[in-house]
Amino acid sequence: VDFNYTSEQKMITDSTQRMVERDMLPILDAGDTGGVLSKPDILKIFAAAAELGLTSARIPESGGGAGLSMLDYGLITQNIPPTIGLMLQPHEATATRIFYGGSDEQRETYLEPLIAGNIIAATGSSEPNMGSNPREVRTRIREDGDELILDGTKMWISNATTCDVANITGKIERADGTTSVARVLVDMHTADVKTSPIHMMGLCQSPHGEMVFSDCRLPKSCLSPDKGDTAKLLTLTWLSNRPLVGLMAVNQASRAFDIALEHAKSRKQFGKYIGEFQLIQQDLSEADALITSARLMCLNALSVIDSGGRANGVSAMAKRYAVDACDKAIALAMRICGAMGLSKELGLERMARDVRMLTIPDGTPGILTLIHGRELTGLSAIR
Ligand SMILES: Cc1cc2nc3c(=O)[nH]c(=O)nc-3n(C[C@H](O)[C@H](O)[C@H](O)COP(=O)(O)OP(=O)(O)OC[C@H]3O[C@@H](n4cnc5c(N)ncnc54)[C@H](O)[C@@H]3O)c2cc1C
């Protein structure tokens, strides 16, 4: 096992950090930290992200994408603020789904602008009454001559209010009376869909929202054939999404740790730097151990995916552990900073809220524990 970055991985990491500093943080810092960024600002960030390959990481170069290894995708993601990461990941995952499961027409229409970061994509699966169990999807897709009729509500969708195209999951009712799960690609400018924002506790600069389709008529060409290599598609998106979300948490906790370390070395009490006290060193040591183990677990899961190994258990374990560990590390960082840790000035309270937001998407801790348990025992406790 070689834990050293290759020269190419060092280059990827350095150029990501430079781009975040130059093209992303100024936009985040100039905006209202409690409000969603404007679409023009988001598109500026996406255009910069496209240069890093973040809009098309899982699309092969032969298809016009960046064709990154999952490990390299992770190394880039751990340097991206989660506010941006959680806008980019569903965008990129949707583009990947269109590449593998879309029709030729869908690929021709959407892939180029999605890869360039000129338009924004979303994936709508969750509903008011359907979260962890996708089999309970209630959105209905009916065939009516040359058209489809879409009825249903999607909730908690990242990019809901800014997206130009959305990949919507529903149950299709066929003319012969059979039903199956299907996906339609909805052009948000032409379809009759109502979107509204949902205000969440964290990641407030990225949009989350609801989409309501009521008797929404779409051309039949919106239906995704979903033929392609479905197993590859699932592995690429679901399994790698989890450690990637874990690395977004690592990004946040690492920043919190740096702030706490600086504070410990500059704040004096009882005539000493507080970093000289053993209890503060214990908190720093614990936070560092939590962040380092979270990072390694996520990178390991991505490396297993790259090598073609079975990653269901390791990717579930990595995300569950990483988000929880980073949540704890941020709490320790806040404690080291005393009252300053709770103030808005240091930004730690925002990081504490942001990291919590990563607990739920791409698998709740409960569901991820059960997926891991199923891998270990061969027995399912989910259903
Ligand atoms: C920041 C954010 C971004 C999101 N982005 C998107 C998006 O872009 N697209 C999208 O479609 N969705 C998105 N979601 C929604 C997300 O996928 C769902 O919230 C998630 O699947 C969980 O569903 P739920 O919230 O309905 O919880 P529920 O499924 O109702 O679960 C509630 C609790 O019950 C537990 N539970 C459920 N079933 C079991 C079981 N069998 N055994 C034990 N415990 C169980 C869960 O672990 C959880 O603790 C996002 C959510 C968040 C917070």
Side-chain angles (χ1 to χ4, degrees):
V1 178
D2 185 356
F3 287 104
N4 295 312
Y5 289 176
T6 62
S7 54
E8 204 181 319
Q9 286 166 341
K10 271 195 205 114
M11 208 174 66
I12 290 175
T13 303
D14 290 347
S15 53
T16 307
Q17 286 168 350
R18 272 198 308 275
M19 190 168 278
V20 169
E21 291 283 334
R22 192 188 61 215
D23 300 321
M24 296 181 178
L25 289 182
I27 296 177
L28 295 186
D29 294 343
D32 167 11
T33 53
V36 173
L37 293 175
S38 70
K39 187 160 177 181
D41 276 346
I42 294 174
L43 286 174
K44 275 187 220 154
I45 290 173
F46 272 42
E51 286 180 42
L52 293 170
L54 284 177
T55 50
S56 63
R58 290 174 274 197
I59 298 174
E61 284 179 86
S62 57
L68 296 178
S69 71
M70 290 305 97
L71 189 56
D72 287 351
Y73 192 10
L75 293 176
I76 298 176
T77 300
Q78 73 173 348
N79 285 290
I80 300 282
T83 299
I84 294 174
L86 218 63
M87 288 191 274
L88 279 169
Q89 193 197 40
H91 169 89
E92 186 271 340
T94 308
T96 303
R97 288 184 182 119
I98 295 172
F99 176 78
Y100 283 106
S103 65
D104 288 344
E105 187 187 330
Q106 290 170 341
R107 277 192 282 269
E108 269 156 35
T109 311
Y110 295 113
L111 274 184
E112 210 179 295
L114 286 173
I115 292 173
N118 293 336
I119 62 170
I120 298 172
T123 282
S125 171
S126 308
E127 301 179 353
N129 293 307
M130 187 280 283
S132 299
N133 184 5
R135 290 187 196 172
E136 284 174 3
V137 62
R138 293 191 186 179
T139 293
R140 287 194 311 157
I141 308 165
R142 282 171 291 147
E143 294 177 312
D144 185 26
D146 286 343
E147 291 184 319
L148 302 170
I149 307 172
L150 188 59
D151 280 290
T153 299
K154 296 294 176 185
M155 285 278 284
W156 318 116
I157 310 304
S158 305
N159 301 337
T161 51
T162 49
C163 67
D164 300 279
V165 58
N167 187 28
I168 302 296
T169 308
K171 265 199 185 134
I172 188 158
E173 297 165 11
R174 305 272 181 199
D176 63 6
T178 57
T179 59
S180 59
V181 173
R183 271 158 284 272
V184 284
L185 213 51
V186 178
D187 184 320
M188 298 296 282
H189 300 289
T190 54
D192 183 12
V193 45
K194 286 186 183 58
T195 62
S196 51
I198 302 176
H199 302 287
M200 313 284 281
M201 70 179 278
L203 299 177
C204 299
Q205 288 182 301
S206 55
H208 302 283
E210 187 184 67
M211 297 174 167
V212 180
F213 303 92
S214 172
D215 223 5
C216 171
R217 287 186 171 269
L218 304 166
K220 239 184 188 160
S221 57
C222 290
L223 196 61
S224 299
D226 272 341
K227 281 189 182 126
D229 190 343
T230 311
K232 186 167 187 177
L233 174 69
L234 286 178
T235 308
L236 273 174
T237 52
W238 281 112
L239 295 188
S240 44
N241 273 355
R242 290 177 180 151
L244 290 168
V245 172
L247 287 167
M248 292 179 206
V250 168
N251 171 286
Q252 208 65 156
S254 305
R255 283 183 56 209
F257 179 82
D258 289 346
I259 291 171
L261 184 59
E262 189 52 41
H263 191 81
K265 292 198 288 183
S266 58
R267 170 80 173 166
K268 276 188 167 173
Q269 286 296 290
F270 299 94
K272 284 174 153 186
Y273 291 113
I274 59 166
E276 291 179 63
F277 298 125
Q278 290 176 353
L279 292 178
I280 294 289
Q281 290 194 7
Q282 185 182 34
D283 280 354
L284 285 168
S285 169
E286 179 62 11
D288 195 21
L290 287 164
I291 298 166
T292 304
S293 51
R295 175 183 287 119
L296 290 176
M297 227 183 244
C298 293
L299 295 178
N300 172 59
L302 292 170
S303 161
V304 170
I305 294 170
D306 281 333
S307 60
R310 189 168 169 85
N312 302 47
V314 286
S315 88
M317 173 175 69
K319 192 223 150 184
R320 179 183 64 76
Y321 177 83
V323 178
D324 192 37
C326 290
D327 187 15
K328 286 181 184 142
I330 292 173
L332 287 169
M334 291 174 88
R335 190 163 83 184
I336 291 167
C337 295
M340 277 300 280
L342 301 171
S343 74
K344 295 221 168 193
E345 196 178 325
L346 277 188
L348 291 174
E349 60 82 35
R350 175 145 75 103
M351 292 175 200
R353 287 186 283 111
D354 285 354
V355 81
R356 280 286 169 94
M357 292 287 289
L358 303 173
T359 321
I360 303 300
D362 291 300
T364 64
I367 293 296
L368 296 177
T369 302
L370 300 183
I371 290 173
H372 188 201
R374 187 176 59 196
E375 285 297 297
L376 294 173
T377 62
L379 305 167
S380 177
I382 298 177
R383 295 194 165 83

